[in-house]
Amino acid sequence: MTTGPRVAVYGAYGHTGLFVVTELRERGFVPVLSGRDADKLKALAYETGLDAHPASVDEPAALDRMLAGTAAVINCAGPFATTAAPVVEAALRAGIPYVDVAAEIEANADTFTHFADRAREAAAVIVPAMAFYGGLGDLLITTAMGDWTAADEAHIAYGLSSWHPTAGTRAAGAVSRQRRDGRSVRYRNGRLEYHQDDLPTLEWPFPAPMGPRAVIGEFTMADVVTVPSHLSIPDVRTYMAIEAARDLSAPDTPSPAAADERGRSGQTFLVDAVVRSGAGERRAVARGRDIYAVTAPLVVEALDRILTGRTRATGVASAGEIFDAPDFLRALSPHITLEVRG
């Protein structure tokens, strides 16, 4: 019987949450299942034999009961514009670390803005966006920086073979569009800018074997919050393979379907992270499979490092700031293949 640390997983029955629950169990943790849907939790508890505690984000007492006796909480329940702040508040009351997998730009910015001072004063650990978007890009850019203390530009290009969005991804996207009033967002001159310019299509020189590929420029992801939170880079841009962008925008693209015994889809990815300073250029490249499934080892590795004291900061911190980025990425093998150049 597993007797490791108990870790609350909010949104445990969601697509990413299920991967996280499995990863936690494989690494010796005891997940405590939670979320807003009592019926789904009951079914998952029956299937896994784990404890379940339904909790709505507008019921602080229920959130407190969820966290009683736990060592940390992982929030997998979007839209994070709704769930992040209440679960962070509950974690602060319980005195335990909080980690989430939010890809929502504004929700992550809110976590930094609203909780930075309180978390620092309490010596608490809050790590938002510890996922494929936000966390992985930040780790890659931080690794590529090496001994540079500043750079002029950071570019993160996502070479996804396809993108079958989950219901949670679609719901989070709808909330983000509403918050932006239909505008797009980018990071320029050291700040977030909202705009209505058409997004350009250009060719990105992905490393072999993928090679040059059409991408949507200004396809802005959570990296524009995580990277500038600790690195002196005034211009952070992200790009998306045009096929994946079309999949995401199409209303009839199906959800991910399992293609192996671990439940991963057949989707593959290559993330090309480049930093430029003057005439100098450095890059870090990650390859892997299934952006939702790979979020589980990312967030659980983060949790393990937090609970074992392998951290470099307290307060609200991104992955690249709080962890040894190159060491962290190497620890993700075989989930991710890493290459660093320059």
Side-chain angles (χ1 to χ4, degrees), residues 3 10 55 84 158 177 192 223 256 271 315 329 332:
T3 58
Y10 195 68
Y158 290 99
R177 287 191 296 273
L192 290 175
D223 314 279
V271 185
L329 290 170
L332 293 176

Side-chain angles (χ1 to χ4, degrees), residues 8 10 34-36 55-67 73-100 102 104 107-108 110-111 114-115 118 126 179:
Y10 195 68
S34 190
R36 293 160 288 189
S56 171
V57 291
D58 57 5
E59 297 178 342
L63 293 174
D64 291 344
R65 288 193 295 273
M66 167 188 83
L67 299 184
V73 58
I74 299 175
N75 184 5
C76 299
F80 292 89
T82 301
T83 68
V87 181
V88 170
E89 291 281 6
L92 288 172
R93 291 194 298 272
I96 61 173
Y98 167 97
V99 187
D100 72 33
E104 298 161 45
N108 287 313
D110 287 347
T111 298
H114 297 158
F115 293 103
R118 287 174 56 193
I126 297 171
R179 291 189 68 174

Side-chain angles (χ1 to χ4, degrees), residues 103 105 180 184-188 192 195 199 216-224 236-239:
I105 293 169
R180 298 173 194 166
S184 297
V185 63
R186 59 193 173 201
Y187 190 83
R188 293 287 182 277
L192 290 175
H195 66 93
L199 302 185
I216 303 295
E218 305 288 355
F219 197 99
T220 306
M221 306 305 293
D223 314 279
V224 300
V236 179
R237 308 187 187 205
T238 62
Y239 311 80

Side-chain angles (χ1 to χ4, degrees), residues 127-141:
V127 184
M130 193 60 244
F132 179 79
Y133 295 117
L136 179 57
D138 184 33
L139 290 165
L140 289 169
I141 289 293

Side-chain angles (χ1 to χ4, degrees), residues 5 7-8 20 23-24 27 29 71-76 96-102 124-136 138-139 226 293-313 315 317-325 327-333 335-336:
V7 176
V20 170
E23 185 76 16
L24 284 168
R27 294 190 58 160
F29 296 96
V73 58
I74 299 175
N75 184 5
C76 299
I96 61 173
Y98 167 97
V99 187
D100 72 33
V101 298
V125 173
I126 297 171
V127 184
M130 193 60 244
F132 179 79
Y133 295 117
L136 179 57
D138 184 33
L139 290 165
T226 56
V294 81
T295 287
L298 274 161
V299 73
V300 175
E301 178 67 22
L303 178 78
D304 184 71
R305 288 177 179 240
I306 292 168
L307 294 180
T308 55
R310 292 177 289 158
T311 55
R312 295 178 165 183
S318 69
E321 178 181 14
I322 196 169
F323 304 119
D324 178 332
D327 183 68
F328 191 110
L329 290 170
R330 287 191 295 268
L332 293 176
S333 176
H335 304 287
I336 288 175

Side-chain angles (χ1 to χ4, degrees), residues 73-339:
V73 58
I74 299 175
N75 184 5
C76 299
F80 292 89
T82 301
T83 68
V87 181
V88 170
E89 291 281 6
L92 288 172
R93 291 194 298 272
I96 61 173
Y98 167 97
V99 187
D100 72 33
V101 298
E104 298 161 45
I105 293 169
E106 289 81 9
N108 287 313
D110 287 347
T111 298
F112 277 96
T113 300
H114 297 158
F115 293 103
D117 292 341
R118 287 174 56 193
R120 189 182 309 109
E121 291 168 2
V125 173
I126 297 171
V127 184
M130 193 60 244
F132 179 79
Y133 295 117
L136 179 57
D138 184 33
L139 290 165
L140 289 169
I141 289 293
T142 305
T143 297
M145 287 284 287
D147 59 358
W148 286 358
T149 58
D152 300 321
E153 305 170 353
H155 302 264
I156 305 171
Y158 290 99
L160 275 56
S161 64
S162 62
W163 189 353
H164 288 208
T166 64
T169 294
R170 291 197 183 279
V175 169
S176 293
R177 287 191 296 273
Q178 184 178 26
R179 291 189 68 174
R180 298 173 194 166
D181 196 24
R183 297 172 296 170
S184 297
V185 63
R186 59 193 173 201
Y187 190 83
R188 293 287 182 277
N189 302 313
R191 63 185 181 88
L192 290 175
E193 298 178 351
Y194 289 87
H195 66 93
Q196 293 181 314
D197 301 341
D198 292 337
L199 302 185
T201 299
L202 50 92
E203 187 175 85
W204 184 265
F206 287 102
M210 179 173 287
R213 192 168 182 177
V215 297
I216 303 295
E218 305 288 355
F219 197 99
T220 306
M221 306 305 293
D223 314 279
V224 300
V225 176
T226 56
V227 170
S229 73
H230 69 106
L231 294 175
S232 180
I233 307 177
D235 190 344
V236 179
R237 308 187 187 205
T238 62
Y239 311 80
M240 181 61 64
I242 195 166
E243 299 91 345
R246 288 172 178 165
D247 283 345
L248 181 64
S249 63
D252 57 349
T253 302
S255 298
D260 69 9
E261 69 284 353
R262 297 186 64 84
R264 298 181 302 174
S265 73
Q267 177 200 53
T268 59
F269 63 80
L270 186 157
V271 185
D272 189 19
V274 180
V275 289
R276 294 175 181 148
S277 180
E281 179 178 287
R282 294 176 174 179
R283 74 191 324 132
V285 180
R287 297 174 176 85
R289 177 175 174 179
D290 193 330
I291 64 174
Y292 296 107
V294 81
T295 287
L298 274 161
V299 73
V300 175
E301 178 67 22
L303 178 78
D304 184 71
R305 288 177 179 240
I306 292 168
L307 294 180
T308 55
R310 292 177 289 158
T311 55
R312 295 178 165 183
T314 57
V316 181
S318 69
E321 178 181 14
I322 196 169
F323 304 119
D324 178 332
D327 183 68
F328 191 110
L329 290 170
R330 287 191 295 268
L332 293 176
S333 176
H335 304 287
I336 288 175
T337 301
L338 175 67
E339 179 184 356

